[in-house]
Amino acid sequence: MTGFGAFGREAYVYVAQEKGFFREAGIEVAVQPGKGSGENLAAVLGGRAQFSAVDFTATLISAAGGKAEGAVTVAALHQRTLAALMTLEGSGISEPKDLEGRTVADTASSVIRMMFPSYARLTGVDASKVKWVSLEPAQLAANLASGQVDAIGQYVVGQPTVRNAAKGKEVTVLPFGDVITDLYGSAVTTSSAVATGQPDLVRRFTGALLKGLAYAVEHPQEAAQILVKKQPAQNAEVAAAELALMASYVRPADGTPMGTMSRERVERAIAVLRSAGAFDGELTPESVVSFDLLPKG
């Protein structure tokens, strides 16, 4: 399952499929558009998908709440969180405090909704004064453009999609990463049953998927055409723009292989979320990440 619909940022999985990277790894992959981190976690835990892109912060919050038992992260897709809220020029929203009294839309199980109470607490926003409504991924930008909602949850790389829906109107982005630091973005997630029972499958899958990710951000125009071939409703120009924006998020700054995660940083992310009020319970890096299965190069 992709992380969120079939937007440009998800093109890498279709690239891995079209370019034969999965086939070279000896596996056949069927791709389903995801509906957000909560739904994707449920699909992995329920056996409806062997692998899914799930925002790592959502995995941490869910695990701390006892709702992700058996979920295992095996590779990072984004080295920094992409979570954000977006609104349009003329909305009167230019800073977090302006969200009070407004309506914000996102999918019911998105990581942005999970993170918002912590974001609100750190930015001085009264979360009880913000109304949330649930929409499907494909409905978000259109409802914002038509004025049905004041803001939407969106990854920062989704700015071209939102601008296109709003017919070129300027987009205001409120990135959560500016406030809640040390967080990874989306990560490849599987079940502990697959991770322990088929570790070779996990390594082959993540290797092929990350190869697709690297190719997609290095060749955004071609990747966008592949996406549109698989998902005709998508816009190739907008998809390529999303991939170009995503390029700086996928490679570790320290030069380690794409997909890697450090125990120390996961530990810091847990501490940051706990201090921000996202959860109270104890959580260890090893309970959510299979460090043995992370890419080694």
Side-chain angles (χ1 to χ4, degrees), residues 261-282:
M261 303 172 75
S262 78
R263 186 191 187 285
E264 293 73 22
R265 192 168 157 206
V266 173
E267 199 164 45
R268 291 200 303 271
I270 291 170
V272 164
L273 290 169
R274 185 182 291 114
S275 67
F279 53 77
D280 297 320
E282 289 300 314

Side-chain angles (χ1 to χ4, degrees), residues 1-293:
M1 294 183 77
T2 68
F4 195 68
F7 298 109
R9 75 204 75 157
E10 311 290 352
Y12 62 92
V13 66
Y14 299 102
V15 169
Q17 194 178 44
E18 181 74 8
K19 289 289 183 181
F21 299 154
F22 289 130
R23 185 172 61 253
E24 291 168 4
I27 50 180
E28 184 178 335
V29 177
V31 183
Q32 297 177 9
K35 294 187 175 182
S37 294
E39 288 285 341
N40 294 358
L41 268 175
V44 167
L45 294 174
R48 300 191 302 278
Q50 285 71 50
F51 299 95
S52 181
V54 177
D55 196 289
F56 187 61
T57 300
T59 298
L60 292 176
I61 293 173
S62 299
K67 298 178 181 177
E69 186 175 349
V72 180
T73 297
V74 293
L77 294 167
H78 307 137
Q79 293 292 319
R80 292 176 286 144
T81 180
L82 277 68
L85 293 175
M86 292 189 188
T87 186
L88 301 175
E89 63 178 348
S91 68
I93 301 173
S94 60
E95 59 181 40
K97 192 70 174 174
D98 296 333
L99 293 165
E100 293 182 358
R102 303 303 187 96
T103 299
V104 182
D106 206 344
T107 59
S109 65
S110 80
V111 67
I112 293 166
R113 289 182 79 154
M114 293 184 196
M115 292 174 69
F116 183 72
S118 298
Y119 177 77
R121 178 177 175 180
L122 293 172
T123 54
V125 174
D126 184 344
S128 69
K129 294 182 179 179
V130 180
K131 179 184 177 182
W132 286 83
V133 296
S134 298
L135 294 173
E136 291 298 305
Q139 298 174 319
L140 291 171
N143 274 262
L144 179 65
S146 65
Q148 298 299 304
V149 296
D150 301 304
I152 58 173
Q154 185 63 268
Y155 270 3
V156 293
V157 296
Q159 192 171 355
T161 295
V162 176
R163 185 183 293 115
N164 181 64
K167 304 190 183 307
K169 189 175 287 190
E170 284 304 309
V171 180
T172 298
V173 184
L174 302 176
F176 284 14
D178 288 353
V179 178
I180 312 175
T181 58
D182 266 327
L183 303 180
Y184 287 99
S186 288
V188 183
T189 306
T190 188
S191 66
S192 57
V194 172
T196 58
Q198 299 175 282
D200 181 62
L201 172 64
V202 173
R203 292 189 178 95
R204 286 185 287 127
F205 177 85
T206 54
L209 187 68
L210 292 171
K211 192 174 179 180
L213 179 60
Y215 193 96
V217 297
E218 289 165 7
H219 306 86
Q221 300 292 338
E222 182 184 352
Q225 292 297 332
I226 290 172
L227 173 69
V228 172
K229 178 181 176 182
K230 301 285 188 178
Q231 298 286 341
Q234 296 303 311
N235 179 302
E237 182 179 351
V238 171
E242 284 202 5
L243 288 167
L245 286 174
M246 196 169 78
S248 65
Y249 287 85
V250 300
R251 295 193 183 278
D254 60 4
T256 54
M258 185 181 287
T260 55
M261 303 172 75
S262 78
R263 186 191 187 285
E264 293 73 22
R265 192 168 157 206
V266 173
E267 199 164 45
R268 291 200 303 271
I270 291 170
V272 164
L273 290 169
R274 185 182 291 114
S275 67
F279 53 77
D280 297 320
E282 289 300 314
L283 199 61
T284 65
E286 289 78 10
S287 67
V288 287
V289 178
S290 176
F291 290 97
D292 290 340
L293 290 177

